[in-house]
Amino acid sequence: MKQRMRTGIRGGTRTGIRAAVAAGLALVTVATVSGCAFGRPRVRVPVSFPSPTSSSSYDTSASPAYEPTYSPSPTQETYDPDGRSDVRGSGCDFSDSLRQFTYTVSITNPSMSDSFSYDMAVNWMKAKPADGKAYGLHERSITVGPGDTETYTAKYTVNQSSIGQFWFTCEITRAHKTRM
């Protein structure tokens, strides 16, 4: 088969244009297929978003711009209703002549703003054998002002005429604390 080529200014220009367009299209096609024809826009992921490969849904390295803080005011002071940590006892004793147990109890209110009522219970317990039995029980409610200490003597009188020798201990078994 024979190829013919047109000659002349007009024909040569057309052939040259066609060749240039064909070459340009070929270049664009090759560049597009290879992935470098057009520059991709850069996307920046904010630091607070998790990376696509991360298994967690929260990025712990990001810190919020605002972190609220809370500190209770003196009127919102919290307290433990079990006030036994505010109470100290001393002088656990028994008087043979009075047939009476005594125990000195001191209650210190640690709050500087609130008064508390303490519902107290003192038991004189059997010590030998320590079987959990009580010889006597004293109960009392006492109000203690802010930062104050109240001291009183808990007493229990035995209703027997003669007791003999026995072993006992004194225990503060309850000091329920209520805000006034």
Side-chain angles (χ1 to χ4, degrees):
M1 182 172 358
K2 249 186 179 180
Q3 286 188 346
R4 287 194 303 166
M5 202 182 239
R6 281 186 154 176
T7 59
I9 298 176
R10 198 162 198 218
T13 304
R14 225 184 271 165
T15 304
I17 290 174
R18 282 184 193 159
V21 169
L25 283 174
L27 258 172
V28 169
T29 303
V30 169
T32 302
V33 171
S34 69
C36 62
F38 306 103
R40 293 184 186 170
R42 285 196 145 192
V43 177
R44 289 185 166 238
V45 179
V47 175
S48 63
F49 291 147
S51 65
T53 58
S54 173
S55 62
S56 104
S57 62
Y58 178 72
D59 183 6
T60 57
S61 66
S63 61
Y66 171 73
E67 290 185 30
T69 57
Y70 174 76
S71 60
S73 69
T75 58
Q76 295 174 324
E77 184 177 328
T78 60
Y79 72 96
D80 183 2
D82 182 359
R84 286 182 289 178
S85 62
D86 301 349
V87 180
R88 301 286 175 262
S90 63
C92 183
D93 198 14
F94 179 77
S95 168
D96 286 325
S97 61
L98 297 174
R99 296 185 325 250
Q100 189 176 64
F101 289 104
T102 57
Y103 193 49
T104 304
V105 178
S106 293
I107 306 165
T108 302
N109 180 355
S111 173
M112 291 298 140
S113 59
D114 293 320
S115 293
F116 288 99
S117 173
Y118 291 83
D119 181 24
M120 302 295 301
V122 175
N123 277 55
W124 289 270
M125 306 296 290
K126 192 172 181 181
K128 290 184 180 178
D131 58 5
K133 291 184 180 176
Y135 289 119
L137 170 67
H138 168 86
E139 294 179 300
R140 179 177 178 179
S141 289
I142 188 166
T143 301
V144 184
D148 289 343
T149 299
E150 296 289 334
T151 302
Y152 74 95
T153 301
K155 297 177 184 179
Y156 179 78
T157 303
V158 178
N159 292 330
Q160 296 174 351
S161 58
S162 86
I163 292 199
Q165 189 174 355
F166 62 98
W167 299 91
F168 64 96
T169 62
C170 300
E171 292 181 25
I172 298 169
T173 54
R174 183 181 69 238
H176 184 77
K177 184 176 176 181
T178 307
R179 181 177 278 134
M180 299 301 291

